[in-house]
Amino acid sequence: MATVQVSEAEKVYVMHGVRDDLRVDGRGCEDYRHMEIETDVVSNTDGSAKVSLGHTDILVGIKAEIGKPRPMVPDEGYLEFFVDCSANATPEFEGRGGEELGVELSNTLYKVFNNRHSLDLRSLCICPGEHCWVLYVDVLLLQCDGNLFDAMSIAIKAALFNTRIPKVHISEDEEGVKEIELSDDPYDCMRLNVENVPCIVTLCKIAHRHVVDATLQEKACSVASLLISVTHKGMVTCVRKLGRGSLDPDSIFEMTETGKRVGKALHAPLMELLQKEESLGKKRQKVGFLA
Amino acid sequence: MLKSKTFVKKTRAGGVMKVVREHYLRDDIWCGSEVCTECKDGAPVLQQDARVESDLCAYPHYLIPDTNVVLHQIDILEDPLIRNVIILQTVLQEVRHRSPPVYKRIKDATHEKEKHFYTFTNEHHRQTFIEREQGESINDRNDRAIRVAAKWYTEHLNKAPSVGELKVVLLTNDRANRDKAEQNGLLAYRCEEYIKSLTGNPELVDRLALTSDDQNEITGSKLLFPEHLPLSRIQAGIKSGTFLQGTFRASRDNYLEATVFVQREGDDSTEVLLQGLQNLNRAVHQDVVAVELFPKEQWVAPSSVVLQDDRPSDKETEEEEAEKKLESPVLDPSRLKPTGRVVGIIKRNWRPFCGMLNQSQIKEATRHLFTPADRRIPRIRIETRQASTLVGQRIIVAIDGWPRNSRYPNGHFVRNLGGAGDKDTETEVLLLEHDVPHQPFSQAVLSFLPKMPWGITEEDLKVRADLRHLCVCSVDPPGCTDIDDALHCRELENGNLEVGVHIADVSHFIRPGNALDQEAASRGTTVYLCGKRIDMVPELLSSNLCSLRSNVERLAFSCIWEMNHKAEILNTRFTKSIINSKASLTYAEAQMRIDDASMNDDITKSLRGLNTLAKILKGQRIAKGALTLSSPEVRFHMDSETHDPIDLQTKELKDTNSMVEEFMLLANISVAQKIYEEFSECALLRKHPAPPPSNYDILIKAAKSRELEIRIDSAKALADSLNEAVLEDFPYFNTLLRILATRCMMQAVYFCSGMDSDFHHYGLASPIYTHFTSPIRRYSDIIVHRLLAVAINADSTYPDLMDKHKQSSLCNNLNYRHKMAQYAQRASVAFHTQLFFKNKGILNEEGFILFVRKNAIIILIPKFGLEGTVFFENNDKPGPRLNFDSEGPTLTVEDQHTFHIFDRVKVTISLDASNIQHQKIRMALVEPVIPGVSVALPEPEPEAKKLKLDR
């Protein structure tokens, strides 16, 4: 992953600042950077969103395709994740450089999102045991400036909110041969309930305290961070430790509490924003990539 | 400005795909009106003074029809009266999607300058493009797009300074659409309303297609037919095998019977028999239908009754009686055919039909029945106010629909061809009915003709063999102007003979792929009618540059053999050449030269050589088992002024006919071998499949009735047994047998060698055959020329020539055109025969029974090569007792006389003009005398009178 070199003196400066709840860019320990969200940015997907957090830029596109349900859960659809680390983000990703990170990221996303607590997977089922919707979630890293997970999770939630799946009907003839029929009205589509979709909060342990939404510089000062996914009710759905260092149980507990608090607070404004954007309808001036 | 169009569609694999297309909007699309000053249109299409005499719109106006108006009323839009029409892109796209033929017609109309039709690309215009809204169906969206465009036009034209009273009128039959348009302040009318308001041209009203509103009024609400299933159910049924898909073929002889030809996977095909109006369920000849089979207990044999639907009105009772007649007791279970009923129509194949009007008996009625010339098409009900002028005229009518409660389909009048019985009209009718393209050649086609004066160039001399010194001559029927073959024969120094067949090099003039080539490929063949020829290629080529006339230098493709005196080929050579024919002879002239011992010039010697060789070749061919068949062919002597037939004689074959034929066969076989050798995958060949043995049943039965045996195990056996089947006291018997044998044969067809494995030509007893010798009048020969030219490195190839699938589809077209040309030819002969008998009154002739049917016998009159039917049943009086035995087959009438096949009978021949549409030759039995059935000899009086007049 993209890293920056930090000198010893800088490190001390950052650590001291964090101790006093004053970070290099003036934020407090539980503050996010400025965030921009736009949905419906890629017309040939079924749902898409672009999120920029500081200088981190993420684009998420969701394509719905008809597939076969997994044998263990015949009445549920599922999600597939693919993270593409574009060489745009950092030259290190050139060639196959970003592949390893991409796989790691997508595995994490899979753990966080593909379960029945975060999304009603039953609603993705078309015909039990035979057909279901598979949502292919493609995440594209356009620019890396730390805190990829948080930005990705917000972009995914926004994209899922934006997703419109065409309505299908199953028709059955006398012999029991089922056929999928498609409505010819492009507006006749299904929305997903994203209420329970979690957001990821990554907490970075710096000295004795921890910060959310760490910049690259801050990250370089930390030995370990904790990834927590939190739903709007404050329920923690997934916890992972990242980084080489270790965390003691006390600070894990502390960090979890912070993560819950921050995550819970994140959902309400996000949903409000998404709803507001949608209410603008077609009159909305699209910003896209040229902003 | 860029917009994107989004829609979802189902993929073939069963998935769902979202498709996004970019859609550009522009602001430089002109309105196309002469009035407008804002648009920078260089040549505006729509006129300033767009005035039509109309009660409704007295002001000048432009018309904007909606999709359904274009689809259903295309006949009206094509009328020269309708001008200044704006065709919106939305409409055009929908029309293309729903009906390609109508799309082609509306496109053609917009290309016509005098029509002033303007295509407005409203979908790409910044101000008229609209996006589909939530909850709006695609049709609603398109209707709205049309309204928006109409609104835009209204406002746009109003801005022009010289607009005057010019207005835009929307034509729509959709009530909701019209209401909304009126709310938007647009002028909108129903199509009928508008057309009826055109006071100057009331005849246009007749061409209005009947729309569903009107249909209900036509007959009572009694539903006569079962409902057709929707397409989705049909498709599901076909998939699961409960229904079968096939082409509907109505029977020519019996309007209550039809067959559906079902082609299943592989070569397995079956025919399903349909009987009765209910089961035919409104299918029309050539429709693609879905049928449901009946259980085996209900399978029947096809009835051999001849039934014609020519009652003046539709009375149900008669219908039922007629249907009862179909039920015949079946003795032989092997003759049973699967029966079924039509459950739905997959694709209508309606075309405009030629025919005549039966005027309704009620005066002032506007609804009349129309009887198509093709007996397989049901009568059509049309609405017209000019019935009195249309009676006795040949007209074209198009079918609009066939509602469940109507005994006949509804249609509308399209065009008047002219008076029935008139020679030009009748010729037009038979060309139209047989789908023979006969329009004059277009400018695009003519532009590919060589520039005149044309001459042989240095270039030609370099690449072609110069055969101008050879003594080449052509032998053709009299009056032939498209001479495509010429011959020569000379003795070589080594004592052998050199024989050359020179064929017009048409492929030199018609280059692959250009408009001329495409036109020729589509026409497929030249059609010869009595006194008229419909050329495949323009006359400049057919009668001049390609015609191998005498004493002019012409390009040829030559096939030259070295033969010994036993007519064995020692060496074959193909070359492009230049020839100079020394004489164009007729068969008779050539024969005279051969027979006249005093003539000893080069041409005559050449002819004698050819004649000798031809006789040997023919002998060899017959020994191999080639069939000599017979069909009575007649020639008319035409009056040079009126072109009416004045006399008729059966064609006579001379030695020279068969001489030319032999060498043509030889050339065709040699070329077939060569092109197959070079291009085993894409050679265009001709085959004649051996008929299935069951075809010969009638022939064997016929011979058996005279205690003769016909063997059919091989062509050779057949040929030999036909030769042996001679009756001393009945010299015409052998010819009759051969006529019958001809009817047992299959059609010879073109095919592509890569798509088939059976090449055999049964009739000629040749393992391989093609057509090479008549490129002026057959397109197949042009392709063969091209193949041969490539094979001898005389010309370059092109991709389509080597594509076996392309070639196979070309073959299909050629086969279809040839078949149709043949039918047209026969129809033309039949028509001229009628003309001939019209002037003759009643004749008394001797004939032979060719077929015996359940209620009729079919008689051949050898003198005129004429076939006719003697019916033993009449609609107006009770028929005699008939006893039909299918074993013989024999028919016993009134227990007195039994008719056998080939019986000699005497009949009177007269022209039955009671039905002008189907004027037919009526035959009535004179001998043997059966009281109540046969007629007395006609009094010689009318004949005598006529004779006097003639003198």
Side-chain angles (χ1 to χ4, degrees), chain B residues 583-853:
Chain B
S584 305
L585 305 173
T586 64
Y587 290 122
E589 281 168 4
Q591 190 66 48
M592 260 164 53
R593 276 172 182 259
I594 293 170
D595 295 343
D596 189 347
S598 65
M599 291 189 81
N600 268 317
D601 54 303
D602 278 351
I603 296 172
T604 312
K605 271 196 253 169
S606 173
L607 285 172
R608 285 194 187 125
L610 288 167
N611 201 21
T612 326
L613 286 174
K615 280 188 178 149
I616 306 173
L617 284 170
K618 186 168 186 182
Q620 287 172 350
R621 212 158 51 78
I622 286 173
K624 267 195 266 168
L627 295 173
T628 323
L629 299 172
S630 178
S631 57
E633 268 191 89
V634 287
R635 259 194 108 71
F636 290 96
H637 286 275
M638 299 283 203
D639 187 305
S640 55
E641 304 247 310
T642 60
H643 295 287
D644 282 335
I646 44 178
D647 198 3
L648 155 162
Q649 77 178 100
T650 38
K651 263 188 199 164
E652 207 181 321
L653 288 180
K654 296 199 170 63
D655 258 6
T656 39
N657 287 52
S658 103
M659 170 187 97
V660 174
E661 191 189 324
E662 273 323 307
F663 285 104
M664 294 307 130
L665 291 178
L666 194 64
N668 285 338
I669 294 170
S670 294
V671 171
Q673 282 162 349
K674 175 75 179 174
I675 59 172
Y676 179 60
E677 217 170 86
E678 291 291 327
F679 309 106
S680 60
E681 279 295 290
C682 56
L684 187 147
L685 302 175
R686 189 169 172 84
K687 68 170 175 182
H688 182 209
S694 63
N695 275 20
Y696 289 120
D697 284 355
I698 185 76
L699 182 68
I700 295 171
K701 274 182 194 167
K704 214 188 225 165
S705 69
R706 303 288 153 129
E707 271 129 36
L708 286 167
E709 195 199 357
I710 296 290
R711 294 180 308 277
I712 55 157
D713 16 305
S714 70
K716 171 89 177 127
L718 178 66
D720 291 347
S721 53
L722 277 176
N723 284 340
E724 287 157 19
V726 182
L727 289 181
E728 295 273 313
D729 54 336
F730 193 174
Y732 199 67
F733 176 74
N734 192 267
T735 317
L736 279 173
L737 265 189
R738 287 183 199 272
I739 291 172
L740 213 52
T742 315
R743 311 264 160 114
C744 303
M745 293 297 155
M746 308 282 283
Q747 273 281 337
V749 288
Y750 296 111
F751 67 104
C752 172
S753 60
M755 306 292 277
D756 209 325
S757 55
D758 174 29
F759 294 0
H760 195 73
H761 198 291
Y762 182 80
L764 296 173
S766 169
I768 191 164
Y769 191 67
T770 192
H771 271 164
F772 168 72
T773 53
S774 301
I776 301 180
R777 58 186 179 88
R778 288 190 304 235
Y779 189 76
S780 50
D781 302 49
I782 295 184
I783 292 290
V784 171
H785 273 231
R786 288 183 186 154
L787 286 166
L788 186 64
V790 175
I792 62 167
N793 290 324
D795 206 342
S796 53
T797 178
Y798 59 100
D800 281 4
L801 190 65
M802 297 294 142
D803 184 335
K804 63 177 177 181
H805 296 284
K806 287 249 172 63
Q807 216 177 77
S808 183
S809 65
L810 176 73
C811 287
N812 288 341
N813 180 46
L814 293 182
N815 289 331
Y816 170 74
R817 292 291 186 205
H818 275 269
K819 196 171 71 189
M820 281 329 212
Q822 221 171 41
Y823 291 162
Q825 232 154 314
R826 273 183 220 162
S828 175
V829 169
F831 171 66
H832 280 82
T833 315
Q834 287 164 12
L835 275 186
F836 175 71
F837 281 105
K838 195 171 167 184
N839 309 328
K840 292 281 166 187
I842 299 172
L843 289 183
N844 193 5
E845 281 300 335
E846 191 172 84
F848 300 98
I849 298 178
L850 205 53
F851 294 104
V852 178
R853 290 279 147 85

Side-chain angles (χ1 to χ4, degrees), chain B residues 113-291:
Chain B
K113 272 228 167 65
E114 302 80 57
K115 297 278 294 169
H116 298 282
F117 272 39
Y118 182 67
T119 314
F120 181 64
T121 38
N122 64 317
E123 296 283 357
H124 289 280
H125 193 284
R126 192 196 271 260
Q127 275 150 320
T128 55
F129 172 75
I130 56 160
E131 266 179 285
R132 188 169 166 183
E133 276 168 10
Q134 194 148 8
E136 197 176 35
S137 80
I138 187 76
N139 285 334
D140 290 343
R141 185 248 164 228
N142 287 341
D143 283 347
R144 189 159 62 91
I146 292 166
R147 289 198 302 271
V148 167
K151 182 90 187 155
W152 179 84
Y153 253 103
T154 312
E155 284 164 5
H156 179 80
L157 291 176
N158 271 335
K159 278 188 267 174
S162 59
V163 60
E165 289 181 294
L166 188 64
K167 291 197 170 108
V168 174
V169 173
L170 183 67
L171 285 188
T172 174
N173 289 337
D174 183 340
R175 185 170 300 156
N177 194 10
R178 207 171 82 230
D179 291 348
K180 277 186 193 150
E182 275 164 3
Q183 277 167 25
N184 288 353
L186 293 169
L187 284 167
Y189 295 114
R190 284 213 346 253
C191 192
E192 286 84 334
E193 219 175 0
Y194 177 78
I195 298 300
K196 280 178 186 158
S197 80
L198 299 178
T199 39
N201 296 66
E203 75 278 1
L204 265 186
V205 177
D206 294 347
R207 299 209 211 157
L208 275 172
L210 298 174
T211 48
S212 50
D213 287 0
D214 304 347
Q215 281 166 4
N216 298 337
E217 302 161 20
I218 284 178
T219 33
S221 54
K222 193 183 161 202
L223 294 177
L224 296 168
F225 294 103
E227 207 170 356
H228 286 152
L229 295 179
L231 207 57
S232 57
R233 292 254 324 263
I234 294 176
Q235 275 162 349
I238 289 171
K239 231 183 203 172
S240 66
T242 42
F243 301 149
L244 298 173
Q245 175 176 346
T247 317
F248 183 88
R249 291 183 188 165
S251 157
R252 221 179 264 272
D253 297 328
N254 186 337
Y255 75 99
L256 290 174
E257 218 173 63
T259 51
V260 171
F261 188 76
V262 181
Q263 187 92 45
R264 276 189 265 202
E265 274 168 49
D267 287 336
D268 177 28
S269 61
T270 40
E271 268 189 349
V272 180
L273 185 71
L274 311 176
Q275 286 183 331
L277 282 178
Q278 290 279 314
N279 294 336
L280 299 181
N281 198 2
R282 292 170 284 156
V284 177
H285 186 63
Q286 288 292 328
D287 285 348
V288 180
V289 297
V291 288

Side-chain angles (χ1 to χ4, degrees), chain A residues 137-285:
Chain A
V137 181
D138 291 309
V139 181
L140 182 63
L141 304 186
L142 295 171
Q143 213 170 325
C144 286
D145 187 25
N147 205 15
L148 289 177
F149 280 110
D150 295 23
M152 275 195 294
S153 72
I154 289 165
I156 290 171
K157 181 157 179 165
L160 284 171
F161 176 80
N162 180 237
T163 299
R164 280 157 176 83
I165 302 172
K167 269 201 185 128
V168 292
H169 312 275
I170 297 286
S171 67
E172 199 171 329
D173 60 11
E174 293 117 54
E175 278 73 43
V177 179
K178 284 170 187 156
E179 193 136 347
I180 292 172
E181 275 172 27
L182 204 58
S183 153
D184 74 328
D185 183 359
Y187 291 101
D188 188 16
C189 48
M190 179 174 89
R191 301 283 299 269
L192 295 167
N193 181 6
V194 293
E195 205 185 9
N196 291 324
V197 174
C199 280
I200 298 174
V201 179
T202 317
L203 295 134
C204 241
K205 177 100 181 160
I206 296 173
H208 295 289
R209 291 196 65 160
H210 44 260
V211 296
V212 298
D213 189 20
T215 58
L216 286 177
Q217 195 185 28
E218 285 166 336
K219 190 146 189 227
C221 306
S222 127
V223 282
S225 36
L226 197 68
L227 175 154
I228 305 169
S229 69
V230 191
T231 66
H232 72 119
K233 287 184 190 137
M235 187 169 76
V236 176
T237 59
C238 178
V239 180
R240 267 192 85 182
K241 200 215 71 153
L242 309 165
R244 272 161 296 156
S246 54
L247 294 171
D248 62 284
D250 281 351
S251 56
I252 289 180
F253 180 74
E254 242 173 71
M255 284 161 93
T256 317
E257 284 304 308
T258 317
K260 266 159 90 172
R261 192 168 59 242
V262 174
K264 224 171 133 178
L266 200 56
H267 281 283
L270 174 65
M271 286 310 286
E272 199 183 311
L273 202 68
L274 290 173
Q275 243 125 27
K276 202 169 141 197
E277 189 193 23
E278 195 184 56
S279 68
L280 291 174
K282 277 185 184 162
K283 280 169 278 171
R284 176 168 71 95
Q285 195 68 47

Side-chain angles (χ1 to χ4, degrees), chain B residues 4-21:
Chain B
S4 66
K5 271 182 160 178
T6 308
F7 56 95
V8 276
K9 75 171 194 189
K10 219 168 96 174
T11 61
R12 205 173 288 173
V16 170
M17 199 162 69
K18 184 176 174 184
V19 182
V20 181
R21 296 247 165 85

